[in-house]
Amino acid sequence: MCPRSAGDWAGLSSHAGIIATPGAFCAALEGLQPPNAPSWSAQTTQARADYLEWSDRPPAMPGSVDLGALMLWLRERLPDDAIITNGAGNYTAWPGRFLRYRRLGAQLGPTSGSMGFGVPAAVGAKRTSPQRMVVSFSGDGCFLMNGQEFATAVQYDLPIIFIVIDNSMYGTIRMHQEREYPGGSVHRVEKSRLRGLCARL
């Protein structure tokens, strides 16, 4: 909340109010020593350990492709400066959970749920950083949105690795449909359309 008038401050309180000029405040800070260990350091250490354990053990999955195992395989082999891109959908949980991002600018993905973001992000990343490996994850629904960007990658001979996670449906849309309208219609992606797109390029 950003107070815009004196009335907006009503009901707000702080644990420790500071009334000082910037100069006096900075002078007072110079004499302070930080604690050797914050009171919450044990909690953050445990949280980090929990995260590492969670992201090192993929759950058992049905089917012929084990996405957790694939992500662990990639994690061991991708260079530290690799750029990973993705669109929006349930499939993004796999690279988000299991891959490691070792430097700034290593992960490009939408925060707004923009399907199809991963392919153009990969094209832009490879054009601006041609020396870095770029790997782009897309669901089959996301990938179908990107014929023009895929054509641009071909035109400029950009060596991008595209990984398409194909479940023959708009998986996130289906999840929401089944939750909100059980037994209702389900959006599906026809594999022939995806094959046709790739064959034309």
Side-chain angles (χ1 to χ4, degrees):
M1 178 173 143
C2 182
R4 292 182 174 83
S5 68
D8 290 341
W9 290 97
L12 297 178
S13 63
S14 66
H15 295 290
I18 299 173
I19 300 173
T21 64
F25 178 73
C26 290
L29 283 180
E30 284 188 62
L32 296 178
Q33 293 297 319
N36 290 332
S39 60
W40 37 262
S41 62
Q43 290 174 307
T44 57
T45 300
Q46 184 60 53
R48 174 72 176 162
D50 291 345
Y51 163 74
L52 291 174
E53 180 183 357
W54 177 72
S55 63
D56 280 338
R57 290 187 302 148
M61 295 300 300
S64 59
V65 178
D66 185 336
L67 291 174
L70 171 65
M71 297 304 149
L72 292 179
W73 186 89
L74 285 171
R75 186 170 81 188
E76 297 300 318
R77 288 161 179 81
L78 289 175
D80 286 349
D81 68 343
I83 300 172
I84 309 298
T85 73
N86 60 263
N90 292 347
Y91 72 89
T92 63
W94 296 100
R97 176 176 173 178
F98 293 107
L99 297 182
R100 300 280 193 261
Y101 303 97
R102 296 177 174 93
R103 61 168 59 185
L104 292 174
Q107 181 187 26
L108 303 176
T111 58
S112 60
S114 300
M115 287 180 68
F117 180 90
V119 173
V123 171
K126 194 63 178 177
R127 283 288 284 168
T128 58
S129 301
Q131 74 286 0
R132 295 173 69 180
M133 179 182 288
V134 177
V135 180
S136 179
F137 290 92
S138 295
D140 48 338
C142 275
F143 195 72
L144 280 173
M145 299 178 175
N146 295 116
Q148 63 279 13
E149 287 89 358
F150 195 70
T152 300
V154 172
Q155 177 184 351
Y156 288 98
D157 197 25
L158 301 177
I160 300 166
I161 299 169
F162 294 98
I163 298 175
V164 179
I165 299 171
D166 180 4
N167 60 1
S168 299
M169 70 181 71
Y170 297 113
T172 305
I173 295 171
R174 177 179 179 174
M175 177 189 73
H176 290 296
Q177 283 182 331
E178 289 181 347
R179 185 188 65 217
E180 299 298 324
Y181 308 102
S185 64
V186 173
H187 287 284
R188 298 192 67 79
V189 175
E190 296 179 22
K191 289 185 182 180
S192 60
R193 292 177 60 203
L194 186 58
R195 284 191 205 101
L197 169 67
C198 294
R200 286 191 299 273
L201 296 173

